[in-house]
């Protein structure tokens, strides 16, 4: 298993970047008896199936060498998509002005799910603009944040 406090992300990021992609984020899940590693990659040129396959081969080899996951883990590599999840505050900065859906760890005003326009990112706080006014959310309380695809009008 993983050595010390090295994360999967720290193991795979250099390899992904050396292939010319950005590691957008990764999620490790346990589904029944299987461990699933879902990796999202980004590129200025976009991401196609060949890109995902190339990155998957590299990641699989690295994880086996590092013994970072059980041998029977499943690996999925894809682009973040139009409803991309935001994994970091730096990513949030890139999407100021976008419609977002946010789920919080803890309720605010008896609510955990929010939608609105990402108005600003300052320090560890996001400001979400809604019809009822602005809502400031602390990054530590955000369980999940996703871009909402624009609906053609």
């Amino acid at each position: 298993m993983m050595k010390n406090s090295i994360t999967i992300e720290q193991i795979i990021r250099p390899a992904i970047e050396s292939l010319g992609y950005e590691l957008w984020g990764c999620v490790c899940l346990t589904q029944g008896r299987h461990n699933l590693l879902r990796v999202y990659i980004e590129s200025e040129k976009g991401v196609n199936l060949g890109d995902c396959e190339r990155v998957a081969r590299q990641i699989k080899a690295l994880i086996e060498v590092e013994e970072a996951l059980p041998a029977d883990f499943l690996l999925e590599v894809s682009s973040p998509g139009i409803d991309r999840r935001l994994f970091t505050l730096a990513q949030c900065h890139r999407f100021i002005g976008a419609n977002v859906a946010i789920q919080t760890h803890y309720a605010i005003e008896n609510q955990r799910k929010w939608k609105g326009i990402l108005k600003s990112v300052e320090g560890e706080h996001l400001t979400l603009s809604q019809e009822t006014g602005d809502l400031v959310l602390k990054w530590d309380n955000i369980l999940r944040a996703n871009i909402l695809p624009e609906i053609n009008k």
Side-chain angles (χ1 to χ4, degrees):
M1 288 308 270
M2 285 216 294
K3 302 161 179 101
N4 301 328
S5 61
I6 295 175
T7 65
I8 295 288
E9 197 170 304
Q10 290 170 316
I11 292 170
I12 67 175
R13 181 182 303 279
I16 290 170
E17 290 175 353
S18 74
L19 292 171
Y21 305 99
E22 174 187 356
L23 173 60
W24 188 259
C26 63
V27 179
C28 291
L29 304 168
T30 300
Q31 296 182 331
R33 294 179 288 151
H34 300 284
N35 291 299
L36 171 67
L37 174 59
R38 189 171 287 145
V39 177
Y40 300 98
I41 59 172
E42 180 69 291
S43 168
E44 288 181 11
K45 301 174 192 170
V47 175
N48 63 37
L49 183 59
D51 298 325
C52 293
E53 290 171 345
R54 186 176 311 108
V55 170
R57 282 191 300 273
Q58 190 77 4
I59 290 172
K60 189 88 169 159
L62 263 175
I63 290 175
E64 287 172 6
V65 166
E66 293 288 332
E67 298 178 350
L69 289 173
D72 63 344
F73 80 96
L74 301 172
L75 174 64
E76 292 178 4
V77 177
S78 70
S79 73
I82 60 171
D83 60 345
R84 67 185 56 217
R85 182 173 176 181
L86 301 173
F87 289 92
T88 67
L89 280 166
Q91 291 170 348
C92 293
H93 279 282
R94 290 166 62 174
F95 287 92
I96 290 174
N99 286 310
V100 294
I102 294 177
Q103 182 177 358
T104 59
H105 289 285
Y106 306 104
I108 300 167
E109 300 170 12
N110 296 320
Q111 190 173 332
R112 291 185 57 221
K113 293 184 179 181
W114 304 88
K115 289 183 181 176
I117 296 172
L118 183 56
K119 184 175 179 180
S120 67
V121 180
E122 295 178 21
E124 296 287 317
H125 296 86
L126 307 179
T127 301
L128 195 61
S129 180
Q130 301 179 297
E131 290 179 13
T132 57
D134 290 351
L135 174 69
V136 177
L137 299 166
K138 189 166 185 202
W139 181 252
D140 288 353
N141 190 26
I142 296 175
L143 175 64
R144 186 176 182 103
N146 286 79
I147 299 299
L148 292 174
E150 295 292 322
I151 299 172
N152 293 334
K153 295 179 181 177

